[in-house]
Amino acid sequence: MERVSGRLAAGAAGTLPESHGESPIESQLDALLRLLNRPQGASRTPQPAKLIVQAQSRLLLIDQAEICYAAIDEGVIRIVTQTFEGHSKCRTLEELLELLDPALFWRAHRGFVVNINHIREVVRGSSPATSCA
């Protein structure tokens, strides 16, 4: 807890510690903290604000901000919002990430991308959560 508090304090001051000798989880947390502390409008390239998601037999156009997370399982990318769940036409998470705003989405796991605005808690050593805040 002290280490996370220190990182949050350092991130708020704009001085995140370097990743010398950190574990992969600590490096991922550093990347998340950098995303959370990035100034608004600091994304590299403008990303489309909407994304097409297939829910049952319908194609829905949704705002990226509505997405809680995306997960890939057996080659199918599941998109979850607070109101519905659907599937992306993308074949890989890398392909999906190219469409998503890098200032909003964090790859928390090789099979899991999360909207940082929907993160309530990061629990070390647990599998990704599957509920939406």
Side-chain angles (χ1 to χ4, degrees):
M1 290 301 287
E2 290 173 351
R3 187 170 34 181
V4 171
S5 296
R7 286 175 191 251
L8 288 173
T15 58
L16 288 174
E18 294 297 319
S19 59
H20 301 295
E22 291 183 341
S23 71
I25 292 173
E26 289 171 328
S27 296
Q28 283 188 322
L29 287 175
D30 283 340
L32 174 61
L33 287 172
R34 282 192 296 276
L35 278 174
L36 290 171
N37 292 315
R38 183 184 298 174
Q40 292 286 33
S43 64
R44 297 178 298 240
T45 57
Q47 301 294 322
K50 304 268 187 184
L51 190 69
I52 297 173
V53 175
Q54 182 176 353
Q56 297 169 355
S57 63
R58 300 168 44 196
L59 291 177
L60 304 172
L61 194 60
I62 62 167
D63 287 321
Q64 289 189 20
E66 292 179 37
I67 298 171
C68 295
Y69 68 89
I72 190 165
D73 186 34
E74 296 182 14
V76 177
I77 298 176
R78 184 171 45 119
I79 305 285
V80 177
T81 71
Q82 291 183 342
T83 56
F84 75 93
E85 185 176 317
H87 300 280
S88 170
K89 290 293 186 183
C90 295
R91 291 174 287 169
T92 65
L93 278 183
E94 289 81 12
E95 192 176 314
L96 177 64
L97 281 169
E98 289 178 11
L99 300 174
L100 297 173
D101 184 351
L104 289 178
F105 291 90
W106 173 53
R107 189 160 190 176
H109 180 269
R110 66 184 179 136
F112 199 83
V113 175
V114 65
N115 183 331
I116 63 172
N117 294 323
H118 291 277
I119 295 174
R120 281 190 285 175
E121 181 179 14
V122 177
V123 180
R124 184 178 176 153
S126 69
S127 62
T130 56
S131 64
C132 196

